[in-house]
Amino acid sequence: MDGCLDVVIGNDDADGDPDRVFLGVFSDDNSSGVFEGGFDTWQGFAPLSNPLATPGELGVNDTQADDTRAVAIADLNGDGVPDIITGNYGKPNKYYLGTWTDGNGDGICQPGEWTGFTATGVDFPDGDSNTYDIAVGDIDKDGLMDVATADQGQKDNVFLGAWVDGQGGNPADGVFQPGEWNGFIWNELNWGASRGVALGDLNGDGVLDVVYGKWNQTNVYYLSQWDDVNLNGVCDPGEWTGFGNRTDIGSDTHETHDVALADIDADGDLDLVVGNVGTNYVYFNNGSAGGWASSQITGDTEETYAIGVTELGAWMICRRTRRAGSSRYRRRPFSRPSSRRVCPRARGRCG
């Protein structure tokens, strides 16, 4: 909580090594206690200091080593402090809440009050998982962060943040307070072989939907459903009712590692970028016209482990690839179907 970005690294080989946290370090030249780019000098990273364990270790009291494939950071319990989620393979997924002391008595974590993370990870309620990816967002519009996981050989899962009104000494007034957070409610979707997951509003109704990248199966999405009880055209707290039926994105199947959502063609709706073993693809969302128009991403065919979209230039993506045991990063343009209009953003090289 000092304004400087930090890093969480997951252990993915189940060799007994813990997940680790590294904190951004800076010279507080302006004596403000908060990183200010124009005044302070960023000095790199240092491992989270913990007197009970190796510096940087996460979950010092956990009783088993985890095979961690995915990590996400979000404020789960609504106290304004980031928490950590680890997606594990063959073990339960866990979350670690950020801890702090309210030295100022104002109910807000100020710089210098953050103390670390809970020493023991809390298991998600679905038991052992085969999680490859995690997405976090407020799906049911209640102001709490929800979690979607992509699981290989299991059902896709969504965990909704839960709270108990009046818990933790707070008044039972129907308004969430940080002490009222009560973990997650588990929701199962269809069975599948998922490696990637992303949240985004696909149909423009203001509510998050979920997309899953599948391994040797068609990629799919689920649209959020809700009842407009208040008749205001907005999904208010309590009006979200779940997800609709599973819908295929196109008809082709690939060995998909990762997915990302962005408005690639600047037409106002989210498109899907897919990282595969072999050729990567973009699926253009046709909105109210229905369906998805696919386009291959130009460049090499290789095993893409992670994919993202930058705004450094139109039609640019950033891919992480692995070949012959080495890792490298590339940014490449991709082609678009000739029937679609050109994105008005300027084209350019991005690295």
Side-chain angles (χ1 to χ4, degrees):
M1 301 296 292
D2 60 3
C4 198
L5 292 180
D6 311 309
V7 175
V8 181
I9 300 176
N11 166 52
D12 66 355
D13 55 7
D15 61 357
D17 294 333
D19 301 323
R20 297 188 181 278
V21 180
F22 295 87
L23 305 181
V25 179
F26 63 96
S27 62
D28 192 11
D29 300 328
N30 203 35
S31 301
S32 65
V34 179
F35 178 66
E36 298 175 289
F39 300 95
D40 303 326
T41 303
W42 186 76
Q43 297 176 331
F45 293 99
L48 168 65
S49 177
N50 192 313
L52 301 179
T54 303
E57 182 175 332
L58 181 64
V60 297
N61 289 345
D62 286 346
T63 58
Q64 62 182 8
D66 293 323
D67 182 356
T68 301
R69 305 291 176 94
V71 173
I73 300 174
D75 178 13
L76 300 178
N77 59 351
D79 65 352
V81 178
D83 311 305
I84 294 177
I85 306 165
T86 59
N88 301 315
Y89 193 91
K91 304 286 180 63
N93 296 330
K94 292 183 171 67
Y95 62 85
Y96 303 82
L97 298 180
T99 57
W100 54 288
T101 56
D102 190 8
N104 294 334
D106 58 1
I108 300 173
C109 182
Q110 303 288 352
E113 295 181 343
W114 183 83
T115 57
F117 294 96
T118 48
T120 303
V122 179
D123 292 352
F124 275 72
D126 59 329
D128 290 348
S129 300
N130 295 330
T131 298
Y132 276 84
D133 199 11
I134 300 171
V136 181
D138 182 10
I139 296 172
D140 56 358
K141 307 292 284 187
D142 65 351
L144 297 178
M145 290 293 100
D146 310 308
V147 178
T149 62
D151 298 282
Q152 175 74 31
Q154 297 177 323
K155 287 188 175 181
D156 297 322
N157 296 302
V158 172
F159 302 90
L160 300 178
W163 61 289
V164 177
D165 195 14
Q167 180 176 275
N170 293 302
D173 55 4
V175 179
F176 173 76
Q177 301 293 333
E180 297 173 338
W181 188 76
N182 197 43
F184 293 98
I185 299 173
W186 177 21
N187 293 263
E188 288 185 309
L189 300 176
N190 289 337
W191 192 276
S194 297
R195 293 289 183 95
V197 61
L199 294 172
D201 181 10
L202 298 179
N203 58 353
D205 64 353
V207 186
L208 293 178
D209 311 303
V210 60
V211 176
Y212 284 99
K214 298 289 186 176
W215 190 260
N216 277 329
Q217 297 177 5
T218 304
N219 297 325
V220 304
Y221 68 88
Y222 301 85
L223 294 180
S224 281
Q225 308 294 302
W226 53 286
D227 294 328
D228 191 8
V229 177
N230 294 329
L231 301 178
N232 60 1
V234 177
C235 181
D236 294 315
E239 295 184 341
W240 188 84
T241 59
F243 288 106
N245 293 329
R246 164 179 169 156
T247 304
D248 292 342
I249 299 174
S251 59
D252 48 338
T253 61
H254 302 280
E255 295 176 332
T256 296
H257 273 301
D258 199 18
V259 292
L261 290 169
D263 183 9
I264 300 296
D265 53 3
D267 65 350
D269 51 35
L270 293 179
D271 309 302
L272 178 66
V273 186
V274 178
N276 299 317
V277 176
T279 303
N280 299 324
Y281 280 83
V282 176
Y283 294 85
F284 291 95
N285 183 355
N286 286 328
S288 59
W292 299 76
S294 65
S295 174
Q296 291 187 7
I297 297 175
T298 61
D300 298 338
T301 58
E302 49 196 329
E303 188 162 1
T304 298
Y305 279 75
I307 197 160
V309 181
T310 77
E311 294 208 17
L312 298 177
W315 316 112
M316 296 290 164
I317 65 160
C318 182
R319 299 186 295 152
R320 178 181 183 273
T321 62
R322 178 171 294 174
R323 172 183 289 174
S326 64
S327 297
R328 56 201 173 116
Y329 289 81
R330 291 190 175 187
R331 293 179 174 88
R332 287 196 179 273
F334 54 85
S335 60
R336 59 184 174 83
S338 58
S339 60
R340 304 188 71 85
R341 66 187 178 87
V342 175
C343 176
R345 300 190 187 98
R347 300 180 184 227
R349 298 178 62 86
C350 60

